Amino acid sequence: RCQQKCSTCPHMITGYEEQGIALNKCNLILGNCKWNATWAIEELGYRPEIVGWVYPSMTEIDNESIKGKYISMNMLTYAKGTDIFADIARQMPNEKFRIYGYEHSLPCFPSFSLPKNVEFMGKVSQEEMYTDAKLWIVPARKIVNFGMTIIEAMSCGVPVIASGCGSVIDDEMVIDGYNGLHVPMDDWEKGHKPDLWVKYVNKALENIEEYSLNAHETDFSRFSKKASADRFIDYAKKLVH
């Protein structure tokens, strides 16, 4: 128990304390991906010897009956780029689009609407999310941290188009031109233009069978429960010794 009184956390242990006091007291800080750990070292200044990473383990999904009707994404929120997704759908009226998960809004988020060819499905089973999708899009407006839906979609044979930044590249979550595509983010503002995303969506649809097969055959063993547990245990042993 860290005895800090500046949080409502019942355990009083959190990285969100004033000036990161709790993290500064840690013997080990684990991020959820390689990019996240690198960011903690390079941007926040934590010592490399106390920073590591363990992937959240992915859930195995029954993916025997891919129907491939919809271009889909996760979460209805500006931060995840749902407005970009909506604009892509407007420019592709003959395609069907779906958004899964929950809706999240803040007063600072711009308002936007969904066109008629976009359905907001809310929370459904993982099987339904991925078996109905032919393409998964991650038009994130913030740097992509670990993206569980990215690897879950690809494990079901659904190619992914994602903002080319963060763990998408550093952790090789999407292999550009193999199991999906990176939308360049060298120019952050230009990288979020719907016209650019439509170009990449059309490219993926032209190669959908190849990308889908490659996505399904991608080795996801590093995201397995065993791999995550083994890595965590290795870190724990180093602390003990």
Side-chain angles (χ1 to χ4, degrees), residues 2 22 33 63 85 119 123 131-132 140 143 165-167 172 175 183 220 228:
C2 67
C33 62
N63 56 2
F85 187 81
E119 296 179 83
K123 189 174 181 179
T131 56
D132 284 347
I143 294 178
C165 57
S167 63
E172 298 182 334
I175 302 173
V183 175
F220 295 101
S228 296

Side-chain angles (χ1 to χ4, degrees), residues 61-63 66 130-131 151-158 212 215-216:
I61 303 168
D62 179 10
N63 56 2
I66 301 297
Y130 302 119
T131 56
I151 58 173
E152 287 178 343
M154 288 194 296
S155 73
C156 293
V158 181
S212 179
H216 201 280

